[in-house]
Amino acid sequence: MNAPLSPDYKLCNAADSKSVAAKLAALSHPTRIEILKHLSASQSCCCREVVDHLDLAQSTVSQHLKILVEAGLVRFAPDRQRSRYEVDHAALAGVSASLNALVNSCCSGC
């Protein structure tokens, strides 16, 4: 017999599952985790600031930032000749809530 779902479990449709999976995939690389940590420590950063912090090639950092932006975890805005990047805290909190609901629904009988 299946255990009842926890009260905070939210049924999500296939589109929601795909969105969460895309965000988790973006979080699956250690460099992207480090980029999120760096961005979280400041209001916003340009790519060069992230490059200097991580000591990686600009093209590598740009590619990682692109993946984070496409996943909806990081926002960017043009700022004259540069782009500014910042963490989308609401999106990251949404991933946390979705993962928490999944874990709670799977482990409610543990």
Side-chain angles (χ1 to χ4, degrees):
M1 185 154 130
N2 291 340
L5 295 176
S6 67
D8 59 358
Y9 177 76
K10 297 177 185 170
L11 293 176
C12 42
N13 61 35
D16 292 337
S17 295
K18 286 182 181 181
S19 174
V20 171
K23 287 173 175 55
L24 291 173
L27 292 170
S28 69
H29 196 286
T31 297
R32 292 193 283 271
I33 299 291
E34 290 303 314
I35 289 171
L36 283 173
K37 287 180 187 178
H38 183 69
L39 292 177
S40 291
S42 61
Q43 196 92 21
S44 68
C45 292
C46 68
C47 185
R48 169 55 50 205
E49 293 166 318
V50 178
V51 167
D52 291 344
H53 176 74
L54 296 176
D55 196 30
L56 294 171
Q58 187 273 333
S59 59
T60 302
V61 172
S62 290
Q63 185 62 29
H64 285 300
L65 284 166
K66 178 183 175 194
I67 291 167
L68 290 167
V69 168
E70 288 174 349
L73 297 171
V74 168
R75 292 187 297 251
F76 81 100
D79 182 21
R80 289 172 277 204
Q81 294 180 339
R82 297 180 178 199
S83 293
R84 304 293 297 176
Y85 295 88
E86 66 182 61
V87 173
D88 185 331
H89 295 282
L92 205 52
V95 171
S96 177
S98 295
L99 191 55
N100 189 42
L102 176 64
V103 169
N104 287 339
S105 72
C106 292
C107 300
S108 61
C110 296

